[in-house]
Amino acid sequence: MNLSTQRDNEKPKVRIRDDFWDGYMELVRDTVIPYQWDALNDRIADAAPSYAIQNFRIAAGLAEGEFGGMVFQDSDVAKWLEAVGYSLAGHPDPELEKTADGVIELIAAAQRSDGYLNTYFTLKEPGKEWTNLQEAHELYCAGHMMEAAVAYYEGTGKRRLLEVMCKFADYIDSVFGPEPGKLHGYDGHQEIELALVKLYRVTAEERYLRLSRFFIDARGEKPSFFVEEWERRGRFSHWTQKVTALPDLAYFQAHEPVREQSVAVGHAVRAVYMYAAMADLARLTGDQSLLEACRRLWRNTTARQMYITGGIGSTHHGEAFSFDYDLPNDTVYAETCASIGLMFFASRMLQLEPKSEYADVLERALYNNVIGSMSQDGKHYFYVNPLEVWPEASEKNPGRHHVKAVRQKWFGCSCCPPNVARLLCSLNDYIYTASPETNTVYAHLFIGSESSFELAGGSVKMKQVSGLPWEGKVRFEVTPAASGSEFTLALRIPDWCAGKAGLTVNGSPAPYDIEQGYALIKRQWSEGDVVVWELELQAQLIAARPEIRANAGKAAIQRGPLVYCLEQADNGSPLAAVSIVREAELGTRYEAGLLGGAVIVEGEGQIEDEAVWEADDAPYLPLSSTRQTRSVHLTAVPYYLWGNRGQGEMTVWIRTAAGKKE
């Protein structure tokens, strides 16, 4: 294993320099990472305790006590370390690196001599390792720590955590596999499958790739491993602490072999993590059956079970998919981690086959569900991301307790906050892909950045300057290593611009071919060449398919990649009484004083006349006596900003009405 020669892989080298995203990068570095470090150490007043670092201290023999928190608590530390690794890659910070190195030594001290590493089983149930894979998240925690090890190694060049996790991976490989005498099982929460691919990428150890494929191949085989394991443990459940019914295999995407699956079912995060690993393996092994399964599952997930905000997982019962077009707005789940997993899936599909639909979804999830889950101060988070909020219902209706009207400081199950941190710290990895085989650079996201690529014709440097999400102008400055080098620059044509895009090269209109939703500019490039990509950015009303019953007779507002919403702070209450005029023109203006500055959308609306109801306290009246409405001015703000101005109602989908005739 020659780790040193594996660090310079084929990934583009990208550093973000962007008016919109720089603020987020700074927020994560200066506030989110330190805040989450305090949370992991139980230093946040009035917040749910984490126990995570203390568990490692106890397991390492440095403190006394019992295990605290969820069975998967180790993964919060792993995701934090992964975020730190990505952050240090672009912004060295000696103090942060020293803190992280200390955590890594703590992790190493908690590792058993055979390589096993898990504080729950070390402290609470020693001797029961690998006896409850369905529920206990052992391989899930291992996978997150492997991802942290890769990120920290690539960010700092330090091998300590990578060596710890390679030792653990080697141990896992000795336990699991198709060979006689090994455990023919897999984890209840997919994660290690995509982590092993990352470990393979930096070590070139083929066993890790084979092990990832084993976990994917074994899932869904008959007889069911989970059913057999359930029988072996006396049908007893870790979560309920009692004998339970037969496991719901579809919840774990283990109801049939993965290559035969075509509908997204079960726990949404587990599903998209698995789909991401399947796409990785399809790319690396050339497995056409895995690719076809990925395409089917992508279509079902994004065309039939995705919210306009990029959220997935419509029910809080099991944080799961329900069925096609069942997308309620007020009892939605749309867990932050699920949208992040959807981004993972999309980015890997882009590596397999660059189609704009993958990048469209990636962008939708990023600009709406993902960044909307975190407050603008970086210290409060949504786990659930609703499209409609009535604060009193969230407080008093047990069916809506999961829908919070304000972001929380931390959670007992805090998988989402560190997931947001690691995603934002690695955002540079999602902007481009480069294909030496086709000599093409694909620009998937329009985020200001400085980049370098290795193509068949030599190296290329590129500077992108983007006005998004407020303006549709994107500028690329191209610098090839050798003047006259030929390659193709492929620019995504976003779905939100409806093909209305203009292209100039060095100030002159330029032709381009269109392939899979990308504008292809193939030419011989010279230093200083400038490409300007003008995308129409217009606020528009969006309708939902009739099958999405929650949105019948309603519309949402979208401008570019941003979905908008109405908040009580701007439009009063109840928002359910408000309608937007279908034929009215939507206006936009930049509001510098709105939470760091944002474009707001304004339109003509109507509201039911309250006076009719104030005259009578009856809950119901004849429709003919209640049809009076008055005109109102509606103000919509980007969905990602909602809930930052105090508690109040919010809605994405708005009833529509015809304009009043003169």
Side-chain angles (χ1 to χ4, degrees):
M1 184 191 310
N2 190 347
L3 298 176
S4 62
T5 62
Q6 291 294 321
R7 292 194 66 211
D8 294 324
N9 49 59
E10 296 178 358
K11 289 198 306 180
K13 295 177 175 61
V14 183
R15 184 161 185 172
I16 292 175
R17 294 281 188 272
D18 185 89
D19 289 343
F20 181 80
W21 288 104
D22 280 353
Y24 277 97
M25 302 300 109
E26 183 177 345
L27 181 67
V28 172
R29 289 195 307 273
D30 296 347
T31 300
V32 175
I33 288 176
Y35 177 84
Q36 293 188 0
W37 174 241
D38 285 341
L40 293 173
N41 284 276
D42 307 321
R43 300 172 188 159
I44 306 298
D46 303 320
S50 167
Y51 306 107
I53 293 296
Q54 183 68 0
N55 288 338
F56 276 102
R57 287 180 51 78
I58 298 169
L62 301 177
E64 298 290 331
E66 298 180 349
F67 179 90
M70 300 285 191
V71 68
F72 45 77
Q73 215 70 5
D74 290 3
S75 64
D76 289 353
V77 177
K79 282 182 278 190
W80 181 83
L81 271 174
E82 187 179 352
V84 170
Y86 292 135
S87 180
L88 292 174
H91 296 273
D93 180 335
E95 284 302 312
L96 177 60
E97 188 170 339
K98 181 180 178 181
T99 298
D101 287 345
V103 176
I104 290 168
E105 289 305 319
L106 195 60
I107 292 168
Q111 185 175 37
R112 285 192 335 210
S113 59
D114 63 2
Y116 184 82
L117 177 63
N118 185 289
T119 65
Y120 175 84
F121 283 96
T122 297
L123 299 176
K124 196 161 187 175
E125 294 198 82
K128 292 189 177 181
E129 298 85 349
W130 315 129
T131 60
N132 191 355
L133 289 168
Q134 177 199 323
E135 296 181 311
H137 291 66
E138 280 173 278
L139 293 172
Y140 168 85
C141 289
H144 273 304
M145 200 64 77
M146 289 174 191
E147 290 197 88
V150 171
Y152 201 75
Y153 170 65
E154 292 187 320
T156 66
K158 292 182 176 179
R159 297 172 48 165
R160 177 64 163 149
L161 185 58
L162 190 62
E163 290 170 344
V164 167
M165 293 317 298
C166 284
K167 184 177 180 180
F168 193 10
D170 292 342
Y171 172 71
I172 293 170
D173 185 54
S174 74
V175 173
F176 292 88
E179 299 86 0
K182 288 189 176 182
L183 196 56
H184 295 185
Y186 39 85
D187 204 79
H189 196 312
Q190 300 90 317
E191 156 60 28
I192 194 170
E193 297 86 350
L194 57 87
L196 283 166
V197 172
K198 288 188 177 182
L199 204 59
Y200 160 74
R201 177 171 56 80
V202 298
T203 65
E205 178 53 72
E206 293 283 346
R207 285 186 298 109
Y208 301 154
L209 188 64
R210 287 197 299 270
L211 185 57
S212 175
R213 183 162 186 165
F214 162 75
F215 287 133
I216 290 294
D217 290 345
R219 198 170 209 92
E221 288 185 340
K222 300 295 186 290
S224 169
F225 171 78
F226 283 154
V227 173
E228 293 178 337
E229 181 189 68
W230 170 72
E231 293 282 9
R232 284 195 297 270
R233 66 172 186 270
R235 304 183 178 185
F236 192 79
S237 169
H238 165 86
W239 295 109
T240 64
Q241 288 295 293
K242 61 183 180 181
V243 172
T244 57
L246 191 73
D248 176 7
L249 298 179
Y251 179 78
F252 306 98
Q253 297 80 40
H255 56 300
E256 58 186 354
V258 299
R259 289 168 178 79
E260 298 174 18
Q261 296 184 25
S262 57
V263 176
V265 295
H267 188 270
V269 180
R270 300 171 201 236
V272 286
Y273 278 18
M274 182 180 81
Y275 303 160
M278 290 165 60
D280 268 338
L281 291 168
R283 176 175 56 85
L284 292 168
T285 67
D287 189 322
Q288 192 66 24
S289 61
L290 271 182
L291 173 56
E292 289 302 323
C294 286
R295 287 171 175 161
R296 292 193 306 272
L297 291 163
W298 174 269
R299 283 193 296 271
N300 180 261
T301 301
T302 61
R304 295 172 178 246
Q305 300 203 71
M306 182 181 73
Y307 286 90
I308 192 172
T309 54
I312 55 172
S314 59
T315 175
H316 71 282
H317 294 285
E319 307 175 325
F321 295 104
S322 54
F323 57 92
D324 290 357
Y325 304 123
D326 178 42
L327 296 167
N329 299 309
D330 55 348
T331 59
V332 55
Y333 207 73
E335 182 183 344
T336 304
C337 286
S339 285
I340 291 173
L342 183 61
M343 290 181 62
F344 295 163
F345 186 21
S347 69
R348 284 157 173 82
M349 292 303 289
L350 283 169
Q351 293 174 50
L352 265 168
E353 46 184 17
K355 294 182 178 180
S356 62
E357 64 179 282
Y358 303 136
D360 287 337
V361 169
L362 192 158
E363 181 184 65
R364 182 177 296 276
L366 171 65
Y367 277 91
N368 298 290
N369 216 69
V370 174
I371 61 172
S373 71
M374 182 174 68
S375 66
Q376 292 295 289
D377 69 4
K379 297 180 179 181
H380 300 81
Y381 303 88
F382 283 134
Y383 192 106
V384 172
N385 295 278
L387 283 78
E388 181 181 321
V389 170
W390 179 10
E392 189 173 9
S394 293
E395 179 185 353
K396 299 176 180 179
N397 184 338
R400 299 189 189 182
H401 281 174
H402 63 287
V403 178
K404 303 301 182 185
V406 294
R407 295 171 178 84
Q408 308 296 295
K409 289 183 176 181
W410 203 248
F411 306 92
C413 172
S414 261
C415 52
C416 296
N419 223 356
V420 173
R422 70 171 181 145
L423 185 283
L424 291 178
C425 285
S426 61
L427 184 58
N428 55 300
D429 289 340
Y430 295 81
I431 300 173
Y432 298 99
T433 56
S435 171
E437 292 80 10
T438 62
N439 212 29
T440 303
V441 173
Y442 291 90
H444 306 304
L445 297 178
F446 301 117
I447 295 176
S449 50
E450 297 172 355
S451 316
S452 62
F453 312 91
E454 293 298 327
L455 298 174
S459 61
V460 176
K461 292 183 178 179
M462 194 175 303
K463 180 180 180 181
Q464 179 184 165
V465 180
S466 173
L468 285 173
W470 314 127
E471 298 176 358
K473 183 177 180 179
V474 189
R475 186 175 188 271
F476 297 86
E477 298 177 13
V478 181
T479 305
S483 186
S485 296
E486 183 178 277
F487 69 90
T488 300
L489 175 60
L491 306 178
R492 175 172 138 256
I493 306 172
D495 57 355
W496 45 259
C497 77
K500 297 177 181 178
L503 178 73
T504 63
V505 177
N506 298 330
S508 301
Y512 55 85
D513 295 324
I514 297 178
E515 186 176 300
Q516 304 284 20
Y518 286 81
L520 306 183
I521 310 143
K522 183 177 181 179
R523 60 183 309 229
Q524 292 183 338
W525 300 86
S526 300
E527 182 176 354
D529 281 348
V530 174
V531 176
V532 176
W533 189 222
E534 291 269 9
L535 304 168
E536 182 171 292
L537 202 59
Q538 184 174 352
Q540 55 184 321
L541 294 179
I542 305 295
R545 290 181 64 97
E547 295 95 329
I548 305 177
R549 300 183 183 210
N551 300 330
K554 297 181 178 181
I557 300 170
Q558 184 171 330
R559 182 177 185 269
L562 297 179
V563 173
Y564 279 69
C565 65
L566 301 184
E567 282 198 276
Q568 182 178 337
D570 304 303
N571 303 284
S573 171
L575 291 179
V578 172
S579 301
I580 191 165
V581 175
R582 290 188 293 269
E583 301 84 359
E585 184 177 343
L586 297 176
T588 59
R589 63 183 170 86
Y590 186 78
E591 184 63 59
L594 178 64
L595 300 167
V599 168
I600 63 172
V601 176
E602 299 172 304
E604 179 186 347
Q606 296 175 10
I607 190 169
E608 296 175 8
D609 193 346
E610 302 96 325
V612 174
W613 297 95
E614 290 171 356
D616 194 323
D617 64 357
Y620 311 105
L621 290 173
L623 179 63
S624 58
S625 67
T626 66
R627 299 187 68 177
Q628 298 94 324
T629 62
R630 57 185 173 85
S631 297
V632 292
H633 178 82
L634 299 180
T635 299
V637 300
Y639 174 81
Y640 79 86
L641 287 175
W642 89 268
N644 279 279
R645 295 178 293 170
Q647 180 172 290
E649 293 183 36
M650 181 277 292
T651 188
V652 168
W653 290 96
I654 312 159
R655 290 194 300 165
T656 61
K660 289 187 176 181
K661 295 182 179 179
E662 297 296 334

